[in-house]
Amino acid sequence: NQPLSLKGNINHSVCQWCYGDIPLEQLCVAAKEMGIKSIDLLGPKEWATASKHGLTCAMAYASDVPLIKGFNDPSLHEKLLKDYSENIPKAAEAGLNNVICFSGNTNGLTAAQGIENCARGLEPVLKIAARYKVTVTMELLNSRVDHHDYQCDHTAWGVQLCEKLGSDAFKLLYDIYHMQIMEGDVIATINKNIKYISHFHTGGVPGR
């Protein structure tokens, strides 16, 4: 078979966690052969492995705080600021321009309280990100099936946070799988809010 001729209009990436039983080196080799350009969701210690194989990490981890905890919890702001302060410069040095972040679970917070807490925690992080030309990107996840009680579970909530922060260093990760479950009408939603979106994840519904 002849190799596929790719137009290069879309830069495909794969998330490592989907292939957790495949060693990263092996995954990188296979991805490169397929014309994939990136491995998503790698930590700082893994970025060099992707780079060695001519791949990037289009959406990188900058903290080890799990997604059920996040910027809506003021008790984590000090830890998160430390992690992002250390790893945003490393990401920039590695040629990476997107790092992921999470709202955390609601844990009884109102939508307004969650936005207020996230904004307060993110503001000092975004000053660093802007300096290094790195975008901090919050993932939209579904709270119905996979991530019960996760706060950033609707595009409108994420957009409100973007507008409150008013920084080009903060965007949303629009996960089509998660948002089809939560709100549907994904094409119209993307078109309406594209200026707030820096990255996409895709997966079929149901079944991923």
Side-chain angles (χ1 to χ4, degrees):
N1 289 344
Q2 292 295 315
L4 289 174
S5 178
L6 302 177
K7 294 179 181 177
N9 294 340
I10 298 174
N11 296 312
H12 285 290
S13 185
V14 293
C15 291
Q16 185 198 20
W17 72 264
C18 301
Y19 307 95
D21 56 343
I22 302 174
L24 181 57
E25 291 269 2
Q26 189 177 333
L27 181 63
C28 288
V29 170
K32 184 70 174 177
E33 287 175 353
M34 294 177 204
I36 291 167
K37 296 183 178 179
S38 161
I39 309 292
D40 265 28
L41 304 181
L42 299 179
K45 293 180 180 177
E46 299 165 313
W47 299 340
T49 302
S51 180
K52 182 176 72 174
H53 293 278
L55 303 172
T56 188
C57 178
M59 185 59 63
Y61 282 123
S63 175
D64 59 2
V65 174
L67 62 84
I68 61 170
K69 301 175 182 291
F71 279 96
N72 69 358
D73 183 350
S75 73
L76 294 171
H77 286 176
E78 185 178 351
K79 154 76 172 162
L80 289 166
L81 179 57
K82 180 177 182 293
D83 289 351
Y84 284 83
S85 296
E86 290 177 0
N87 290 317
I88 285 172
K90 291 179 184 176
E93 187 178 352
L96 310 182
N97 54 22
N98 268 309
V99 296
I100 197 167
C101 74
F102 302 99
S103 64
N105 285 2
T106 301
N107 292 320
L109 291 172
T110 67
Q113 287 170 332
I115 287 171
E116 184 64 37
N117 289 352
C118 283
R120 200 178 325 136
L122 281 161
E123 280 171 354
V125 172
L126 298 183
K127 289 177 183 175
I128 299 162
R131 194 182 318 145
Y132 286 93
K133 296 181 171 56
V134 169
T135 303
V136 179
T137 306
M138 183 172 284
E139 185 163 17
L140 294 152
L141 299 170
N142 85 76
S143 59
R144 285 183 182 155
V145 178
D146 301 288
H147 303 287
H148 295 288
D149 200 46
Y150 184 75
Q151 188 149 44
C152 186
D153 65 348
H154 281 81
T155 307
W157 190 95
V159 167
Q160 284 184 57
L161 179 56
C162 289
E163 290 175 342
K164 183 172 180 63
L165 287 163
S167 171
D168 288 337
F170 181 77
K171 302 284 185 183
L172 300 175
L173 194 169
Y174 190 92
D175 192 307
I176 291 169
Y177 163 79
H178 289 293
M179 290 302 97
Q180 174 61 30
I181 289 172
M182 292 305 297
E183 55 195 28
D185 203 16
V186 294
I187 300 301
T189 304
I190 290 167
N191 282 333
K192 180 181 176 182
N193 299 292
I194 189 64
K195 69 180 179 180
Y196 300 115
I197 299 168
S198 70
H199 195 74
F200 291 90
H201 282 167
T202 62
V205 180
R208 254 177 176 172

